[in-house]
Amino acid sequence: MKRVPLRQLLLCTASSSSTFSSIRSSASAFVSTTSRVNLPKTTSHQIHSSTKIMASNKNLVVDPFCFRQFNEHDSSAGYQGTVFNVSIEKFEQVVNEQFDSVNLQDGYAPFCKHIFIENDFTDARVCVLPITKENEHCLRSKYEARNGKELPVLSRYFDKELLLKGKDESEVFPVAKYLDLILYSREQIIKENAAMGKEAATTEEGEAETAPWGIVSIKAQDIPKELPMTPITAMRNALGKDHGGSGVPIDREKYMEAHEYWKDHATVT
């Protein structure tokens, strides 16, 4: 999972880590949780960051690529990963309050970072499950592209309806302990938007967005570290920005590590 320009999972998707392209994927590959998430009006989470964030000076903003994970946007209707009912404004407020740059972890490329926060303010459930004899009959595959600019690639996933047949959601999908925020640098976002012919992101006031990090994917999971990007996301990334990737070549060692994980796991859609 990267938000690589996944921008799916890392699924829960897809595979999970194509980000703008891949993480925005891996996210796709990975991409995401299986339930719509509610944020209570009040929360019990503790603010650990020493960084004070003002509304006009955010470190993190939700990138338009990630709008599909928020119910206030029409694009969420067709998204099969985690969709939050909380507003983007409120979500940004919570994550910026907890942001501390010392907690940034390296992603699949220099422009990609991860930051993990405890999921004590949503009911988001995990969207990646181990493959077992009891659930392997629920596996499906399909060719898909996350937007009209990307080349369709083959992905494998669990069919959520089949998994839930005769069962309650809580029996199949545990509540996630952490949220993995997949971040792209402002410079990379500008480059990818230009390559895909998209307009530059702007603030509500119509000014150019200057926040140093854009959230391109949000994954709900049980561990505070990055899950491997799906192999197909790594392949898509290697295609280049013109085809929905990030232009980062495949690292064989990391690819094989991802294979070891994903041969026994799949995202849920």
Side-chain angles (χ1 to χ4, degrees):
M1 280 212 316
K2 321 173 173 183
R3 165 196 181 206
V4 239
L6 145 228
R7 281 191 180 186
Q8 185 209 49
L9 317 153
L10 252 223
L11 344 168
C12 250
T13 12
S15 49
S16 318
S17 318
S18 216
T19 110
F20 254 94
S21 1
S22 46
I23 273 188
R24 295 184 177 195
S25 80
S26 179
S28 257
F30 205 99
V31 175
S32 65
T33 314
T34 59
S35 61
R36 298 195 173 247
V37 181
N38 296 302
L39 179 66
K41 293 182 180 179
T42 59
T43 66
S44 60
H45 72 276
Q46 300 296 314
I47 298 176
H48 301 292
S49 173
S50 59
T51 304
K52 303 300 182 181
I53 304 298
M54 301 300 291
S56 60
N57 186 29
K58 300 175 183 176
N59 287 302
L60 308 173
V61 295
V62 176
D63 185 79
F65 184 84
C66 194
F67 284 175
R68 60 184 181 170
Q69 290 193 248
F70 291 86
N71 193 42
E72 65 187 74
H73 281 270
D74 293 340
S75 58
S76 67
Y79 186 64
Q80 299 186 2
T82 303
V83 176
F84 295 88
N85 288 325
V86 61
S87 69
I88 290 176
E89 180 181 5
K90 184 63 178 180
F91 189 88
E92 289 181 346
Q93 177 186 336
V94 173
V95 299
N96 274 291
E97 286 174 347
Q98 299 193 54
F99 177 83
D100 190 327
S101 60
V102 302
N103 295 325
L104 289 172
Q105 297 186 25
D106 292 340
Y108 77 104
F111 56 77
C112 177
K113 301 291 183 182
H114 294 253
I115 193 164
F116 300 87
I117 61 175
E118 290 188 18
N119 181 36
D120 57 0
F121 65 101
T122 83
D123 59 359
R125 297 180 181 275
V126 299
C127 58
V128 173
L129 296 175
I131 299 170
T132 67
K133 290 183 178 180
E134 291 71 30
N135 63 23
E136 63 182 2
H137 68 282
C138 299
L139 286 170
R140 295 292 184 269
S141 62
K142 64 180 178 180
Y143 282 94
E144 64 177 352
R146 293 163 302 172
N147 57 57
K149 298 286 188 177
E150 289 185 346
L151 292 178
V153 297
L154 184 65
S155 62
R156 181 179 67 170
Y157 61 96
F158 280 117
D159 185 298
K160 182 180 179 181
E161 292 186 1
L162 293 177
L163 287 171
L164 290 176
K165 192 172 183 179
K167 299 179 181 179
D168 184 80
E169 189 173 74
S170 61
E171 298 179 63
V172 181
F173 311 111
V175 173
K177 297 177 182 178
Y178 299 93
L179 295 180
D180 175 10
L181 309 184
I182 302 172
L183 315 175
Y184 271 24
S185 69
R186 179 59 46 199
E187 181 181 10
Q188 179 67 16
I189 290 173
I190 291 173
K191 289 179 180 179
E192 292 195 16
N193 283 341
M196 300 290 281
K198 296 180 179 179
E199 295 182 0
T202 59
T203 64
E204 292 182 356
E205 293 73 26
E207 299 178 355
E209 182 59 71
T210 59
W213 299 104
I215 302 171
V216 298
S217 186
I218 306 166
K219 297 188 293 180
Q221 55 191 60
D222 280 339
I223 58 175
K225 67 178 183 179
E226 179 187 9
L227 294 178
M229 179 186 296
T230 57
I232 194 62
T233 294
M235 287 184 145
R236 193 208 307 261
N237 284 343
L239 291 176
K241 300 181 182 68
D242 292 342
H243 300 298
S246 60
V248 175
I250 290 178
D251 181 311
R252 183 177 180 83
E253 181 177 352
K254 290 183 178 180
Y255 184 94
M256 294 308 297
E257 290 177 359
H259 165 262
E260 283 301 311
Y261 179 84
W262 287 107
K263 68 183 178 65
D264 298 320
H265 294 77
T267 57
V268 180
T269 61

